[in-house]
Amino acid sequence: MYAFNIERPSTIAGAVDALAKDEAQALGGGQTLIPTLKQRLASPDTLVSLTGIPEMQGICTADDGALCIGGATSHAAVAAGASAYPALAALAGGVGDPAVRNRGTIGGSLANNDPSACYPSAVLASDATIVTNAREIAADDFFDGLFATALDEGEIITEVRFPVPEAANYQKFLQPASRFALVGVFVAKYADGVRVAVTGASEDGVFRWSDAEAALSGNFSASALAELSVPADGMIADLHGSAEYRAHLVKVMTGRAVSAA
Amino acid sequence: MPKDGGIGASTKRREDVRFLTGSGHYTDDINLHGQAYVHFLRSEVAHGELKGVDTSAAEAMDGVVRIFTGADFEGIGGLPCGWQITDRFGEVMQEPAHPVLAQGKVRHVGDPIAAVVAESPEAARDAAEAIVVDIKELPAVIDMKEAVANSDIKVHDDLTSNLCYDWGFVEENRDAVDEAIKNAHHVTTLELKNQRLVANPMEPRVAVGEYSAGTGDYTLYTTSQNPHVIRLLMGAFVLGIPEHKLRVVAPDVGGGFGSKIFHYAEEAFCTFAAKAVRRPVKWTASRSEAFISDAQGRDHVTKIELALDKDGHFLALRTDTYANMGAYLSTFAPSVPTWLHGTLMAGNYKTPLIYVNVKAVFTNTVPVDAYRGAGRPEATFQLERVIDKAAREMGIDPIALRRKNFVTEFPYATPVAVEYDTGDYEATMAKLEEIADLKGFEKRRAASAEKGMLRGLGVNCYIEACGIAPSNLVGQLGARAGLYESATVRVNATGGLVVMTGSHSHGQGHETSFAQVISDMIGVDADMVEIVHGDTSKVPMGMGTYGSRSIAVGGSAMVRATEKIIAKAKKIAAHLMEASDSDIELKDGQFTVAGTDKSVAWGDVTLAAYVPHNYPLEDIEPGLEETAFYDPANFTYPAGAYSCEVEVDPDTGKVTIASFAAADDFGNIVNPMIVDGQVHGGIGQGIGQALLENTVYDENGQLLTGSYMDYAMPRADDLPSFSVDHSCQTPCTHNPLGVKGCGEAGAIGSPPAVVNAVVDALQRAGHTNVTHIDMPLSPSRVWAAMNS
Ligand SMILES: Cc1cc2nc3c(=O)[nH]c(=O)nc-3n(C[C@H](O)[C@H](O)[C@H](O)COP(=O)(O)OP(=O)(O)OC[C@H]3O[C@@H](n4cnc5c(N)ncnc54)[C@H](O)[C@@H]3O)c2cc1C
């Protein structure tokens, strides 16, 4: 780790100001950023901690019924408090280990957009809205490939709004070492259709499996997937699994998510 | 019933109190006045020519004390290898130099190029980043067969090839084995890999060097399993420090699994630099550094052939192995694929003819050396896998096939140079059938099928040679060390005992179990016995802990020393009671005169020894302290039978261990609870190897599994609750405690059980083309096998 300064603003406005400085970077739970610093792969002058900002903490229900989660809310808080959206709570409860869940935040996870992270699949499958200090971004416009998002420099995720589905489930097939998702599939059924988002599998990061969405919107059962298959093209191939294996798992995990939803 | 605290009691581990409450004292807890910190600049390429190392900018940086490069170590010894193998043709192995800091060339990712000594770890690291290394990257050789076939890329330019040795054992059997295989009714052939593992002890390595300008004495604090071995190797071969001027201390050590046996460059560096900069010098490895600098384990590629007659009797066995040495020879590396592997190829069976060929190969990877089991897991895995395959091919039940071939008479001289003193393989197999309820397997399989899961059963046996080792024998086999053990038993005036043992405890619980032995022999409370280890200034020359040798060899030395204590104490007691020595009995801490009601207490005798007012000074010296060195007459041969049941998810290939049972024969047992723990840990590591762990280099020699993001360690929820039993006991015939040792059994015996079980599950599900899957049996590999 290189030396850095730390600021702990207590308002979003304060955080935005602090982040306007050169070489300043937001710090959520630090579960990705701190290991990166320890490896000396990043060298910000100033870290701006977002976890002391009350406006960015907690879970509530909006007038339209959407579940709103503060951008600096920990995975553990979501696991314990998102009972209005059980599939989401279960996803949060399956991230990492207790230490990671008590520190890591939803905003940090989404801003990081690790191709194997869990939250991006929930956000995309739920057609959630990412609220920042500057604007609201639809899930379909937010994720931009590996470790890239629509966020501008210094922009902060302050809240995420999840429309609550009629039924949903997340199936995570563990990468044996990291226990991130080798393949994770989030299925959410709304009155106007089903959305299926896949993480861990694609070289382009989280994506929607539109064939499955179409099939499941007509018939919300695993058997609706029988004729479908996912092409291995563009799937991640590494020492934990070939592209074919990942493509195969997408279908298996989707079926399991539908059955469990 | 065992006496409370004596031999056979499940006494709680006294050392756990300090380990579990954060009051242990590890090497990294040692901070010496004025110490400086080292950061090693390590090679990022697997193979390269060092054209220049420019430290000028780095030297000017804040906090830098001094920067060392290979040039500072010219003329200083390299890291020695402790074992010399003689090959099939009577030639000694090729033995490359292993400099402390790279000279001329780097040979693996992680090879140290320079070392910065600075005021803080951060300053040292900052400066290391400012060193400019001019390196010409060379093509690397990673694959062993390619390393042997392709002479263009040589890891060591001054050697004739990348082949360290080509070993044949027993060479005289070679033709007879070939002939027997050619003529056999049935031959089963299996090609497999025993993948490379990273030891991953919880505590990474640490070294602190100290030099006293006043006395010229050096002290090295280090995370070692055998401080005397480090003192001898580093003192005599690397730095030229006489042993009486060098103290090596290995305090609490957080696990080793073999990887802390060896003498490492960082230890020599810190000791050397402490004198050079006249300050204590400390190095603490990061986990990332451990992945590229701790010696790694296994890495064999093997072809094994088993010849059988029409009834399934084993006729002959031939195995060909390529064993990876990595870029340099780590301390005991050459012995692992040879004497610790070839000698075990008979297993539990009476195969009359065996021939083992091993080609040890240099590659541009981290050195490989002993890792829990060392050679014996590799032997057991191939043997027990090929037997399972043979059983399937011949339509014989795999347990019945094993039984048919068991060694049943002891002592038994194998065709691979060792003599098993005792054993009862039928008993452990019968015990396994009972504790694993093997009869109930079909029912459990049906229940799994109900859930859509493919259940399989794997069974295997194992034998190991431990209690390492008779010095004269290993000397003939190329060891450059003796493998005895030492103990000094010091009795204090007030009756308490201090045992200075050469065995080192780094998690094994010696402080508890060794005290139990003394308590049992003398009849004093175990709390009156203190076990001291890990400091060359306190303990007589000892060889340390590895090869499941501590209780068998170190415990025996302690028994011998205690026998001397008791003999002398009896003379003192006889004097005090005016009786003859030969009439004195010691029981429960009381000396009595046989046939009388006279007695004196242990404490009266020990006090008399140090306050010799009424004492036979003309016959015996005052004081009560004795030392013994014990050199074993043979190896010990723990053996057992293991079983594993798995459930395979047919949709994903994921393997879940449904149950695991181990029936071991460890001879006599000092502390059953500690033995359970050793077996549990070993099985955990064995399952880790079977299902999860893998060390992967890409073709350029970059380590792809350099962190826990990609190197899969077993976690508690990967493991079932084990069923272990060690009630089958055939005591060792040649050591005083009748013990065999239990530290490695679990890791040796468990991988084949898991793989046998998975293959069984797939076979039963109709995947009859799947006869083997290389470890680790990750979901993707099992799925690929099912869909091949
Ligand atoms: C051992 C371990 C296991 C893990 N397992 C899983 C897993 O199974 N599934 C999974 O999904 N994840 C897993 N993670 C990752 C974990 O969820 C992290 O918490 C998450 O990826 C990052 O969140 P954070 O709050 O810690 O962010 P930080 O590490 O603090 O920051 C990450 C990045 O996001 C930026 N950032 C942080 N907060 C905001 C914000 N509110 N607005 C804009 N930018 C922001 C930072 O500047 C930084 O670039 C694991 C991590 C570890 C260490």
Side-chain angles (χ1 to χ4, degrees):
Chain A
M1 206 177 263
Y2 298 102
F4 56 82
N5 300 308
I6 182 138
E7 294 203 24
R8 294 193 176 81
S10 57
T11 62
I12 293 172
V16 172
D17 284 351
L19 282 168
K21 289 191 203 122
D22 248 11
E23 301 294 319
Q25 187 172 3
L27 175 69
Q31 296 304 294
T32 297
L33 187 50
I34 298 293
T36 312
L37 298 182
K38 282 188 174 173
Q39 300 267 19
R40 295 193 155 193
L41 297 173
S43 53
D45 279 345
T46 305
L47 290 184
V48 180
S49 171
L50 305 178
T51 45
I53 302 173
E55 300 160 80
M56 287 176 64
Q57 289 289 344
I59 304 169
C60 64
T61 304
D63 295 346
D64 64 358
L67 191 73
C68 304
I69 300 179
T73 307
S74 71
H75 307 329
V78 175
S83 48
Y85 193 166
L88 185 66
L91 173 146
V95 170
D97 51 45
V100 171
R101 292 195 288 275
N102 281 316
R103 300 294 311 178
T105 67
I106 188 169
S109 178
L110 295 174
N112 194 49
N113 192 20
D114 186 307
S116 304
C118 300
Y119 266 127
S121 66
V123 165
L124 194 56
S126 308
D127 195 13
T129 302
I130 287 117
V131 183
T132 75
N133 57 300
R135 56 188 166 141
E136 296 186 357
I137 309 171
D140 283 318
D141 303 327
F142 182 79
F143 301 105
D144 200 12
L146 307 190
F147 299 102
T149 67
L151 290 175
D152 292 329
E153 189 92 355
E155 192 173 3
I156 306 171
I157 299 174
T158 56
E159 187 179 273
V160 188
R161 290 193 195 135
F162 291 90
V164 178
E166 293 167 1
N169 186 263
Y170 176 60
Q171 291 288 322
K172 177 183 183 183
F173 193 82
L174 301 180
Q175 193 260 54
S178 70
R179 294 200 171 180
F180 275 66
L182 187 73
V183 168
V185 179
F186 200 105
V187 172
K189 178 174 185 289
Y190 291 90
D192 58 352
V194 174
R195 288 173 66 111
V196 177
V198 179
T199 188
S202 166
E203 287 176 337
D204 295 327
V206 66
F207 69 96
R208 287 172 62 189
W209 185 17
S210 42
D211 290 353
E213 290 182 350
L216 292 168
S217 295
N219 169 17
F220 193 66
S221 86
S223 60
L225 304 168
E227 301 303 312
L228 303 185
S229 66
V230 182
D233 259 11
M235 292 286 148
I236 298 171
D238 60 15
L239 54 100
H240 304 290
S242 62
E244 292 71 27
Y245 183 55
R246 280 189 169 80
H248 166 79
L249 283 181
V250 171
K251 179 168 166 175
V252 174
M253 292 299 122
T254 306
R256 289 184 182 180
V258 172
S259 302
Chain B
M1 268 296 283
K3 209 175 76 53
D4 187 33
I7 291 176
S10 283
T11 307
K12 281 193 185 158
R13 296 183 5 145
R14 55 168 73 166
E15 48 270 79
D16 284 351
V17 176
R18 71 175 191 276
F19 295 157
L20 298 177
T21 57
S23 33
H25 189 63
Y26 295 89
T27 310
D28 195 47
D29 293 322
I30 293 169
N31 291 299
L32 302 176
H33 181 70
Q35 78 191 7
Y37 299 82
V38 192
H39 187 89
F40 289 96
L41 177 68
R42 296 180 183 278
S43 177
E44 291 177 1
V45 302
H47 197 192
E49 198 183 317
L50 273 178
K51 301 251 183 211
V53 182
D54 180 358
T55 58
S56 51
E59 259 153 34
M61 287 171 69
D62 277 355
V64 172
V65 176
R66 190 169 153 189
I67 299 179
F68 296 80
T69 65
D72 294 289
F73 285 82
E74 265 166 32
I76 289 171
L79 304 175
C81 178
W83 205 297
Q84 185 178 55
I85 295 298
T86 302
D87 75 7
R88 286 178 52 203
F89 312 102
E91 301 286 323
V92 297
M93 67 186 190
Q94 298 210 71
E95 194 171 350
H98 188 178
V100 174
L101 294 178
Q103 298 189 359
K105 237 180 148 187
V106 289
R107 296 185 176 85
H108 66 86
V109 170
D111 211 358
I113 296 171
V116 180
V117 178
E119 299 294 342
S120 69
E122 294 75 22
R125 193 170 171 187
D126 286 345
E129 284 175 5
I131 296 175
V132 183
V133 182
D134 182 6
I135 207 162
K136 180 180 163 213
E137 189 169 354
L138 301 169
V141 55
I142 306 304
D143 180 80
M144 285 191 275
K145 290 187 179 167
E146 197 202 312
V148 173
N150 174 359
S151 55
D152 290 352
I153 311 173
K154 276 206 290 182
V155 179
H156 296 276
D157 300 325
D158 51 342
L159 302 186
T160 59
S161 69
N162 294 318
L163 188 65
C164 177
Y165 54 75
D166 179 352
W167 184 74
F169 183 66
V170 173
E171 192 59 24
E172 294 72 52
N173 289 350
R174 187 183 169 97
D175 294 340
V177 169
D178 287 353
E179 195 63 18
I181 288 177
K182 205 157 68 194
N183 300 327
H185 168 79
H186 185 87
V187 178
T188 295
T189 305
L190 183 60
E191 294 190 34
L192 52 82
K193 290 196 172 97
N194 202 298
Q195 83 272 31
R196 184 185 284 233
L197 303 176
V198 177
N200 280 310
M202 200 180 289
E203 176 205 31
R205 288 188 297 118
V206 183
V208 188
E210 188 183 22
Y211 174 72
S212 163
T215 61
D217 289 343
Y218 295 81
T219 305
L220 168 68
Y221 301 89
T222 183
T223 48
S224 175
Q225 302 178 206
N226 31 243
H228 282 97
V229 176
I230 305 305
R231 187 181 67 168
L232 178 62
L233 293 179
M234 184 176 84
F237 296 97
V238 189
L239 300 179
I241 306 170
E243 282 165 282
H244 63 280
K245 300 305 272 180
L246 174 59
R247 174 183 171 209
V248 177
V249 185
D252 284 337
V253 172
F257 311 113
S259 70
K260 291 175 182 166
I261 298 172
F262 323 120
H263 175 42
Y264 286 99
E266 295 86 355
E267 295 172 320
F269 178 81
C270 289
T271 310
F272 174 86
K275 180 178 184 189
V277 305
R278 294 292 155 106
R279 290 171 67 168
V281 169
K282 180 171 186 173
W283 170 71
T284 303
S286 66
R287 182 60 66 185
S288 310
E289 235 176 338
F291 270 101
I292 54 170
S293 67
D294 291 3
Q296 301 176 348
R298 316 272 192 264
D299 208 350
H300 286 192
V301 175
T302 293
K303 177 180 173 192
I304 180 167
E305 294 155 286
L306 174 65
L308 306 95
D309 72 13
K310 65 178 186 341
D311 301 319
H313 295 112
F314 301 165
L315 301 175
L317 186 74
R318 179 167 63 199
T319 118
D320 286 291
T321 287
Y322 285 79
N324 209 331
M325 296 285 103
Y328 302 99
L329 289 179
S330 175
T331 312
F332 290 114
S335 68
V336 175
T338 50
W339 300 110
L340 292 172
H341 166 253
T343 51
L344 271 298
M345 284 315 309
N348 311 55
Y349 314 102
K350 336 175 251 223
T351 311
L353 283 167
I354 298 178
Y355 179 72
V356 180
N357 181 254
V358 176
K359 294 184 178 68
V361 183
F362 294 111
T363 59
N364 291 114
T365 60
V366 171
V368 178
D369 205 325
Y371 167 67
R372 201 173 192 170
R376 290 152 292 173
E378 295 90 320
T380 305
F381 184 72
Q382 49 175 301
L383 180 61
E384 295 293 328
R385 284 290 303 122
V386 82
I387 292 172
D388 238 50
K389 188 170 181 229
R392 201 171 307 280
E393 287 174 358
M394 295 188 71
I396 305 177
D397 172 75
I399 296 179
L401 181 60
R402 288 178 168 87
R403 281 199 157 109
K404 190 187 285 275
N405 288 284
F406 274 160
V407 172
T408 50
E409 274 162 37
F410 297 88
Y412 174 75
T414 72
V416 274
V418 289
E419 184 176 283
Y420 302 162
D421 59 339
T422 57
D424 186 346
Y425 309 144
E426 177 52 45
T428 44
M429 183 56 89
K431 178 54 78 177
L432 179 76
E433 288 177 317
E434 174 199 325
I435 62 172
D437 179 28
L438 294 187
K439 278 207 204 80
F441 173 72
E442 264 314 316
K443 227 166 118 190
R444 294 189 293 275
R445 197 182 73 84
S448 297
E450 221 40 14
K451 296 186 295 178
M453 289 293 173
L454 316 178
R455 199 177 185 104
L457 168 66
V459 172
N460 65 273
C461 299
Y462 78 90
I463 184 157
E464 56 168 325
C466 51
I468 289 173
S471 294
N472 54 0
L473 176 63
V474 295
Q476 288 163 25
L477 304 182
R480 289 164 169 163
L483 287 168
Y484 51 82
E485 196 46 272
S486 69
T488 294
V489 177
R490 176 179 299 157
V491 185
N492 292 324
T494 51
L497 297 100
V498 184
V499 180
M500 274 72 65
T501 167
S503 295
H504 185 274
S505 187
H506 34 280
Q508 295 88 347
H510 297 171
E511 292 168 35
T512 303
S513 53
F514 280 33
Q516 287 178 248
V517 173
I518 301 276
S519 162
D520 207 86
M521 289 179 73
I522 296 181
V524 295
D525 206 74
D527 288 346
M528 285 176 66
V529 185
E530 189 70 19
I531 306 296
V532 173
H533 61 90
D535 185 340
T536 61
S537 72
K538 295 181 181 166
V539 176
M541 175 76 181
M543 295 309 292
T545 290
Y546 39 83
S548 305
R549 67 193 302 271
S550 292
I551 198 68
V553 190
S556 296
M558 182 177 69
V559 168
R560 290 286 184 250
T562 307
E563 286 168 354
K564 294 187 196 177
I565 292 280
I566 292 172
K568 184 170 177 185
K570 281 185 174 174
K571 284 191 180 149
I572 303 170
H575 178 87
L576 293 177
M577 294 188 282
E578 296 174 342
S580 147
D581 302 357
S582 54
D583 291 337
I584 304 295
E585 288 170 359
L586 171 62
K587 197 167 173 259
D588 296 338
Q590 291 286 327
F591 295 91
T592 52
V593 182
T596 74
D597 58 0
K598 283 196 206 168
S599 79
V600 288
W602 168 255
D604 297 330
V605 170
T606 61
L607 190 65
Y610 289 95
V611 187
H613 295 165
N614 174 18
Y615 194 87
L617 284 167
E618 57 290 353
D619 294 331
I620 49 176
E621 296 168 7
L624 202 48
E625 173 165 329
E626 298 288 349
T627 294
F629 284 76
Y630 180 84
D631 204 279
N634 189 355
F635 294 90
T636 62
Y637 299 95
Y642 282 23
S643 74
C644 176
E645 290 184 24
V646 296
E647 283 187 341
V648 180
D649 181 339
D651 294 331
T652 64
K654 182 166 170 47
V655 176
T656 305
I657 311 264
S659 66
F660 199 101
D664 293 292
D665 173 2
F666 296 133
N668 293 337
I669 288 194
V670 174
N671 182 321
M673 183 198 69
I674 288 181
V675 170
D676 282 354
Q678 290 290 306
V679 176
H680 288 177
I683 296 172
Q685 276 176 310
I687 291 176
Q689 169 163 29
L691 295 184
L692 295 158
E693 300 182 42
N694 198 12
T695 310
V696 184
Y697 290 91
D698 72 9
E699 69 278 10
N700 300 317
Q702 293 295 330
L703 180 61
L704 299 181
T705 51
S707 82
Y708 295 136
M709 292 300 279
D710 290 298
Y711 189 93
M713 289 293 282
R715 290 152 160 106
D717 66 357
D718 291 314
L719 308 172
S721 187
F722 308 123
S723 166
V724 308
D725 180 281
H726 29 77
S727 62
C728 299
Q729 298 177 358
T730 59
C732 170
T733 57
H734 56 80
N735 65 40
L737 290 167
V739 292
K740 296 184 176 178
C742 66
E744 295 160 296
I748 294 170
S750 53
V754 178
V755 179
N756 287 348
V758 173
V759 172
D760 182 61
L762 299 194
Q763 287 276 344
R764 285 173 194 270
H767 297 286
T768 49
N769 62 327
V770 182
T771 56
H772 180 70
I773 307 173
D774 272 325
M775 301 185 290
L777 272 54
S778 62
S780 67
R781 286 192 180 183
V782 174
W783 180 80
M786 287 192 290
N787 291 281
S788 60

